[in-house]
Amino acid sequence: METETEAGLREVLQFFEDGKAEQAQKVITHLFEIDLDSREVAYCNRCCNFWIDAVNRLKSADDIYVQSENILQEWKAFQNFISHETFVYEKAYFAVAKGFFSTALFHFLKIVDGVKDSFQRADIYRKAGICYKKLGDFENALACLTEANNAHPNLASVLAELADCYSLCGNDRVGKVLFREAFFLAPEFIDLDFLDSELIKCLITQTKKKGYSGKDQLYWIPVYGTLNGVFNVKRELNSQEVGKLRKNIYAMENEFKDPSCNTDILIPKMLNSYFWLIDHYVLTHENAAKINEVLLKIKLLDSSIYEAYIK
């Protein structure tokens, strides 16, 4: 027969799943009166305190889109907050996650039809896709992320989430293509915190172990994605894309000559661009001299990356 504490915790977990932190708090207050030493009750209480404050913070934003911008940031803040706990009550954590992403999803789907700006519309569909993905509904996640890409094509943030979702569905080939595109287009706009597939997690872990973090890490992920064979599904560039790639490489090489340049970001950007140029030469059967010229540039830029690349 379950104890009063166990029955109360079951009620708290249900309130968490329903996204009702204030109702959960009332039950927790009673549970403290009968079992002050329960680690599970204490964990639930900290979750409640965070989300009650978070809801108040979200309500303080008058603009609906600004409020939408802040919602997923609150989840990241919660992740940071709860990571300091020495004891983890997993049932509570997953109940909170279900409640949060269900509530957030309801908000995004309610407002998306009223948003006319294509970028904002794509961003809200992206966020709805993240919520579906976190809830394990990959079919609707793919549908939302496809809508996001249709609303504003080729956003790195959307392509990365699409890649993640395809990989989670078992379609690593499409995942590899889309991840490679996303990290080439604009890695600085990709949010690693919501990517869950093993395909990308292995690169996040590896680059972190190499000492990269923050924005630097985002630029090194495609480098190690190439070296590890994760970003190995390639496509041929059109003439406009080739021209833009060469122009960007020329600009970066000139920037690199400036002693004050940010090499932490510039070097991985150049390496990834060189990889794309070599892939273009290979796919179009250019002569070996052009490929060797780019290989020499890689060697001069980072000999260890060069050695790993030619293996």
Side-chain angles (χ1 to χ4, degrees), residues 3-284:
T3 65
E4 189 174 354
T5 299
E6 289 170 339
L9 283 170
R10 189 157 45 81
E11 193 176 358
V12 168
L13 295 180
Q14 188 58 59
F15 279 132
F16 280 167
E17 287 191 12
D18 295 339
K20 298 176 179 178
E22 290 188 353
Q23 287 89 328
Q25 185 72 72
K26 293 175 184 177
V27 179
I28 290 168
T29 300
H30 172 68
L31 290 177
F32 270 135
E33 293 174 359
I34 61 174
D35 192 350
L36 187 59
D37 298 325
S38 170
R39 294 188 299 172
E40 289 82 4
V41 174
Y43 185 93
C44 289
N45 186 55
R46 283 189 279 276
C47 290
C48 263
N49 289 338
F50 179 91
W51 285 113
I52 289 170
D53 289 343
V55 169
N56 290 331
R57 285 193 295 269
L58 289 170
K59 286 180 179 177
S60 67
D62 295 329
D63 184 89
I64 291 177
Y65 183 72
V66 172
Q67 192 179 98
S68 299
E69 280 280 274
N70 295 338
I71 288 176
L72 293 185
Q73 295 303 314
E74 289 291 352
W75 179 256
K76 291 164 72 170
F78 174 68
Q79 294 280 78
N80 181 60
F81 168 79
I82 212 68
S83 68
H84 300 295
E85 295 292 321
T86 53
F87 169 76
V88 179
Y89 183 25
E90 288 192 351
K91 286 184 178 179
Y93 177 84
F94 289 116
V96 167
K98 183 177 180 180
F100 170 80
F101 286 108
S102 297
T103 304
L105 176 62
F106 177 79
H107 170 84
F108 295 137
L109 294 180
K110 184 176 69 173
I111 69 168
V112 70
D113 287 337
V115 177
K116 302 306 177 187
D117 179 83
S118 65
F119 176 82
Q120 291 185 355
R121 189 174 174 82
D123 194 46
I124 292 171
Y125 268 123
R126 176 184 68 88
K127 290 169 183 169
I130 288 172
C131 292
Y132 273 126
K133 188 179 68 171
K134 289 293 187 180
L135 292 167
D137 186 345
F138 299 133
E139 185 177 348
N140 276 315
L142 281 174
C144 278
L145 293 167
T146 300
E147 281 291 337
N149 195 44
N150 290 339
H152 198 106
N154 297 321
L155 289 173
S157 56
V158 172
L159 293 180
E161 286 296 339
L162 265 173
D164 195 51
C165 206
Y166 273 111
S167 184
L168 287 168
C169 292
N171 196 337
D172 275 345
R173 182 174 178 81
V174 175
K176 287 180 175 185
V177 171
L178 293 173
F179 270 132
R180 184 170 178 265
E181 293 286 335
F183 277 96
F184 180 67
L185 283 171
E188 65 271 24
F189 294 116
I190 296 172
D191 193 338
L192 301 181
D193 291 323
F194 295 106
L195 301 178
D196 298 321
S197 64
E198 282 304 310
L199 197 63
I200 197 67
K201 282 289 188 183
C202 67
L203 294 176
I204 293 172
T205 300
Q206 184 184 14
T207 48
K208 191 174 290 184
K209 285 181 178 177
K210 293 280 185 182
Y212 302 114
S213 61
K215 188 174 283 189
D216 294 357
Q217 183 183 17
L218 291 167
Y219 286 97
W220 280 102
I221 282 175
V223 174
Y224 284 96
T226 298
L227 298 182
N228 292 355
V230 177
F231 292 2
N232 61 352
V233 182
K234 289 133 187 201
R235 67 171 178 86
E236 191 169 331
L237 300 174
N238 61 42
S239 57
Q240 186 177 0
E241 288 173 320
V242 174
K244 185 177 179 181
L245 176 61
R246 285 180 172 143
K247 183 179 178 180
N248 287 342
I249 287 173
Y250 179 76
M252 285 187 289
E253 288 174 343
N254 281 333
E255 185 182 350
F256 189 68
K257 295 173 185 176
D258 183 349
S260 65
C261 71
N262 185 355
T263 55
D264 291 341
I265 288 177
L266 191 55
I267 287 176
K269 279 179 69 175
M270 291 172 71
L271 288 168
N272 193 35
S273 295
Y274 289 147
F275 293 159
W276 274 74
L277 187 57
I278 288 175
D279 291 338
H280 165 67
Y281 286 156
V282 171
L283 289 170
T284 55

